[in-house]
Amino acid sequence: MNTREYLELASTKQVSPDELYRFMATQVPELAVLYQVTEGSKKPFLAKGNAPDRRYVVAFSDAEASAVVKVDYPEYMKREEEAALPFLLKAFRSDAEGIVLNPGLPSRLFLNKGYLKELIREYAAEQLAKMPGPWVPTMEQNVLLVEYEKGQYTVAVYLREEDAGAVTQKSGGKPVQRTWSEVLERCRQLGADAPYFHYGLPEQIPFTKEQATRLFASVQPKQVTETPSKTENITPQQRPIDPDVAAGLKKLEKATIEGQGMGNGWEVCRAMAELRRIWVVVDPEGNMVILAGQDQSPIVDFFTSEVHANRLIAEARQKNPNLPAMTPRLISTKKLYRALAPRKPIVWINRGSPEAWTSIMGDTLPYVLQLMGQLQGESV
């Protein structure tokens, strides 16, 4: 079945929109486009929609189909065959209501911007699946995460370096081409089914779970079996976490994710102030372990989960196998903050994880203590 026949079926609703998108993304790599050329500029032909003030960008499934268009001054008309996806993106970002395929033929089909966005997503999934990985806005090692549902985050991915670069001009960082295995791992950590296409651009839309399966098809996750260290004699905390504490830890993690590495400081500090207990790394005597320093200032590591803490322990032990036994532990925040604040340490939350957050300066804990006093109505 050729493209025009398939478009006829779509125009009479004999195939679903998803079937149409899949057909076009796999069978129609190029579209024939007509331009009006005047004084060195060219504009795509527009067609009227159902309402007088609505205009649709004209495109054809093939060059032969475009021959149906006749004009009085052919010297001002130019036919071009263009790669479908870049053209569709230009049409979507224009002021037009959408596109019309094959006007003047039985296969004519209008696609408003809602349908056009879904068609673009399918073309993008097809193209991205053939790439080693997408472009992702990145600050240090932290990738751009976006909230696709309340409290649910995923990775933002882009087709071209320029597209990701347009977003980093606002969010900071720089475009980095990541592998699909990196994106898959991060999505799994976040509990997300799929990455988000072109977040921050007009055509932004999350990929579907089915599209994500195709994007990650080349990724072969390795089975990793962890062998416990024979010198690790401390039993991890097994008691259930108080629901209020768990909710507070989740709120803190959300604030750090939204901070993208260093931002959102007020929300992070407030979440820290509201917490009654927080995860830290301790030695066998129960003393908090300081694992690093920066510019003569100690770094204190806080964590929103035992998993995050264990990740940093494993990383530290890999660098220095002779480190003493360490384990994560939930401890009271007020006493801890009070003990650490005079040293004005650099605060890290979930260091060693992709969503790690740092305060950079040493005034975080004094400020958190001040907030605690305000929240609890007492002098701290």
Side-chain angles (χ1 to χ4, degrees), residues 55-56 89-99 110-120 202-203 205:
R55 296 290 185 272
Y56 289 78
L89 284 167
K90 285 189 295 183
F92 186 88
R93 294 171 183 177
S94 74
D95 294 331
E97 295 292 324
I99 66 170
F110 284 92
L111 292 174
N112 64 28
K113 283 199 170 180
Y115 290 112
L116 181 55
K117 180 187 288 191
E118 293 176 347
L119 177 60
I120 288 170
E203 64 278 1
I205 186 172

Side-chain angles (χ1 to χ4, degrees), residues 141 155 177-187 219:
Q141 294 303 312
V155 181
Q177 190 170 24
R178 298 281 185 167
T179 65
W180 282 118
S181 60
E182 290 177 300
V183 176
L184 173 60
E185 180 182 2
R186 195 69 188 94
C187 285
V219 178

Side-chain angles (χ1 to χ4, degrees), residues 177-216:
Q177 190 170 24
R178 298 281 185 167
T179 65
W180 282 118
S181 60
E182 290 177 300
V183 176
L184 173 60
E185 180 182 2
R186 195 69 188 94
C187 285
R188 284 177 170 172
Q189 291 171 351
L190 295 164
D193 289 331
Y196 204 108
F197 174 65
H198 278 201
Y199 177 81
L201 299 178
E203 64 278 1
Q204 66 176 24
I205 186 172
F207 281 115
T208 66
K209 188 174 182 179
E210 187 275 331
Q211 288 166 339
T213 300
R214 285 186 271 128
L215 292 173
F216 298 142

Side-chain angles (χ1 to χ4, degrees), residues 113-354:
K113 283 199 170 180
Y115 290 112
L116 181 55
K117 180 187 288 191
E118 293 176 347
L119 177 60
I120 288 170
R121 177 177 62 182
E122 185 60 42
Y123 268 100
E126 186 69 16
Q127 184 168 324
L128 280 165
K130 298 174 183 176
M131 294 168 55
W135 289 91
V136 181
T138 304
M139 183 178 292
E140 295 183 354
Q141 294 303 312
N142 300 309
V143 299
L144 176 64
L145 304 180
V146 298
E147 189 174 28
Y148 62 95
E149 291 179 3
K150 187 173 178 59
Q152 299 294 314
Y153 292 82
T154 191
V155 181
V157 298
Y158 299 80
L159 273 167
R160 304 181 306 159
E161 183 178 8
E162 305 94 284
D163 296 320
V167 175
T168 60
Q169 290 179 4
K170 300 177 182 178
S171 66
K174 62 180 181 180
V176 176
Q177 190 170 24
R178 298 281 185 167
T179 65
W180 282 118
S181 60
E182 290 177 300
V183 176
L184 173 60
E185 180 182 2
R186 195 69 188 94
C187 285
R188 284 177 170 172
Q189 291 171 351
L190 295 164
D193 289 331
Y196 204 108
F197 174 65
H198 278 201
Y199 177 81
L201 299 178
E203 64 278 1
Q204 66 176 24
I205 186 172
F207 281 115
T208 66
K209 188 174 182 179
E210 187 275 331
Q211 288 166 339
T213 300
R214 285 186 271 128
L215 292 173
F216 298 142
S218 62
V219 178
Q220 299 294 331
K222 296 180 180 179
Q223 296 291 331
V224 179
T225 303
E226 295 186 0
T227 304
S229 171
K230 294 182 179 179
T231 61
E232 197 73 72
N233 297 319
I234 302 176
T235 302
Q237 181 166 327
Q238 298 295 330
R239 290 179 298 171
I241 300 175
D242 181 282
D244 290 339
V245 173
L249 290 167
K250 186 174 182 179
K251 181 178 180 180
L252 175 58
E253 181 159 323
K254 181 176 184 291
T256 60
I257 289 173
E258 291 176 347
Q260 294 291 316
M262 294 178 290
N264 205 30
W266 191 88
E267 288 295 334
V268 171
C269 288
R270 184 174 180 85
M272 289 179 66
E274 292 174 348
L275 268 178
R276 290 188 290 109
R277 301 174 75 81
I278 197 166
W279 287 99
V280 298
V281 174
V282 299
D283 63 19
E285 284 72 44
N287 299 313
M288 182 178 179
V289 177
I290 303 296
L291 289 169
Q294 178 177 315
D295 298 330
Q296 299 182 342
S297 297
I299 287 177
V300 293
D301 287 295
F302 299 129
F303 306 92
T304 58
S305 72
E306 188 175 11
V307 171
H308 286 308
N310 275 322
R311 183 181 288 121
L312 187 62
I313 291 173
E315 182 180 302
R317 196 174 297 285
Q318 186 176 16
K319 294 178 181 177
N320 183 1
N322 297 319
L323 286 173
M326 296 178 287
T327 190
R329 182 172 296 176
L330 267 177
I331 64 175
S332 171
T333 53
K334 186 185 293 187
K335 291 181 180 179
L336 178 65
Y337 295 164
R338 280 176 171 169
L340 293 172
R343 302 173 65 182
K344 294 188 176 180
I346 305 298
V347 172
W348 273 89
I349 299 174
N350 295 338
R351 186 162 64 94
S353 303

